Amino acid sequence: MGTQQISAPSRAPYSGVVHVNIRLTDGYTIVSNRLSQHRGLSLLAIGLGTHIQSLPDGRRVAIKVLAAIFPESETRIAAALHELEQHGFLSRVLERVKGGKLATRTVFYNHPDAAARRGGAASVAASAPAAASDAAPGSAPASAAASAPARASEPGEAVREAVRAPAPVPVPVPVPVPVPEREPVVVPVPRLVPPPTAPKPPPPPLPFPCGPSTALFAEATRLLAGLRAAAPQFVLTEADVARLAPGVAAWLERGMRPDAVRAALTDDPPVPLRHPAKLVRHRLIALLPPPLPVAPPVVPLQTCDACDRAFRSQAPGCCGECREARAYASERSLISA
């Protein structure tokens, strides 16, 4: 019965997308998931919104300008702009510029909800002073003056009426001023990231075989030196091969076949591969297979020298019953003596 081989576990998921992320240092734009994963926008609108957000301020985003860059027609681009405008990501306002001409001003919002709340608070605060100035505390209501009845038809009657009734005293009427909504204060949570000057923990040690031998290390060296034959980007120096040979020897000692070790070390490398020796060392540590289970020792069969019965023992001799019988006979002889 052949020995079962245990291969290294796969790092890729069984289904779905697999991301190959490379750290970006230039030429990138931060796009919110509110746009990239919006369920009410079409893919064309999401892509167009991402393109507009990546442009610098002042760049023209007219329909004809976008149609000259991308293969979509003006009709489809106009529909995508209309979708962005409906969901609050885009606003287009006509403004009068120098010379009396009208120009379209385009504003793009990466967070439409927060921008709407901020704009609503600013409009309420701007309208509050105007409402207070329209109804000053010292002014009398205009409706009271308009509803006063004209009882006196003659000048004398008007004078007597004024002397008989005291003049009304204006009463200040408080005008409620709407309080603008305030955005909730977001307390920044400190990121638990060590500073660049913090000491780094030492790297984990490379695996080492339990029973090292010259043949085992020779096979490991040959396997590492021949990696470039299967994967040309895995070019290792002589010093790299000598340093990584104990790790490969530990894999071979645990029952891994050389072709399985080669596939585990060179499968799906990052592009571009800058440090092949570091990648091989990482995979030798992270993907180390468990040792093979040890089979229980088999005790051989022996033939009893006294009764010729078979029994299991590491050394030949008598079975258990015969040994007990001989021990009992020797005890009786000692007692009788």
Side-chain angles (χ1 to χ4, degrees):
M1 180 177 181
T3 303
Q4 182 180 2
Q5 303 295 331
I6 303 177
S7 59
S10 177
R11 297 182 297 110
Y14 293 103
S15 63
V17 65
V18 178
H19 293 277
V20 180
N21 295 325
I22 300 175
R23 183 179 179 85
L24 301 177
T25 58
D26 58 353
Y28 63 91
T29 301
I30 299 177
V31 179
S32 171
N33 287 340
R34 294 175 179 84
L35 174 63
S36 61
Q37 298 183 9
H38 200 285
R39 293 296 183 267
L41 292 174
S42 62
L43 288 177
L44 177 59
I46 294 175
L48 186 56
T50 304
H51 171 72
I52 294 175
Q53 191 167 353
S54 67
L55 297 177
D57 290 345
R59 184 68 62 85
R60 296 185 61 195
V61 289
I63 297 176
K64 293 186 178 296
V65 175
L66 295 173
I69 300 175
F70 298 103
E72 283 76 13
S73 63
E74 295 183 7
T75 304
R76 296 189 63 191
I77 291 177
L81 290 175
H82 184 64
E83 288 184 45
L84 294 172
E85 194 170 3
Q86 280 185 332
H87 289 85
F89 289 95
L90 187 73
S91 67
R92 291 178 286 186
V93 182
L94 288 177
E95 292 184 351
R96 192 174 299 277
V97 296
K98 295 181 180 180
K101 297 181 180 180
L102 293 177
T104 302
R105 181 185 180 187
T106 304
V107 182
F108 192 87
Y109 305 95
N110 64 341
H111 196 323
D113 297 336
R117 289 196 300 267
R118 186 174 301 175
S123 62
V124 169
S127 62
S133 62
D134 291 342
S139 62
S143 59
S147 62
R151 296 173 57 188
S153 60
E154 296 181 0
E157 185 67 22
V159 172
R160 287 193 299 272
E161 187 69 23
V163 172
R164 187 165 48 249
V169 179
V171 179
V173 179
V175 178
V177 179
V179 180
E181 296 181 0
R182 294 184 180 180
E183 294 185 1
V185 179
V186 179
V187 179
V189 179
R191 297 180 60 188
L192 302 179
V193 178
T197 57
K200 297 182 179 180
L206 198 68
F208 199 85
C210 298
S213 63
T214 305
L216 192 62
F217 275 89
E219 180 65 20
T221 303
R222 187 187 65 80
L223 189 148
L224 288 171
L227 285 182
R228 58 186 177 182
Q233 62 269 40
F234 283 84
V235 179
L236 304 178
T237 64
E238 188 174 356
D240 294 335
V241 172
R243 186 170 60 254
L244 299 174
V248 178
W251 280 53
L252 297 175
E253 186 185 46
R254 298 191 176 199
M256 292 291 294
R257 297 177 59 86
D259 53 349
V261 178
R262 188 180 299 107
L265 297 181
T266 60
D267 180 51
D268 193 17
V271 179
L273 180 58
R274 303 183 184 276
H275 305 286
K278 291 184 179 180
L279 178 62
V280 171
R281 186 183 189 279
H282 168 73
R283 291 186 173 182
L284 285 174
I285 299 172
L287 306 179
L288 179 65
L292 291 175
V294 180
V298 178
V299 181
L301 287 173
Q302 306 289 346
T303 302
C304 180
D305 296 338
C307 63
D308 291 337
R309 287 187 300 180
F311 68 98
R312 291 190 179 274
S313 175
Q314 295 291 345
C318 296
C319 63
E321 294 182 1
C322 293
R323 285 196 303 268
E324 291 178 359
R326 289 184 179 183
Y328 179 72
S330 62
E331 289 178 0
R332 289 188 62 184
S333 63
L334 291 175
I335 294 172
S336 63

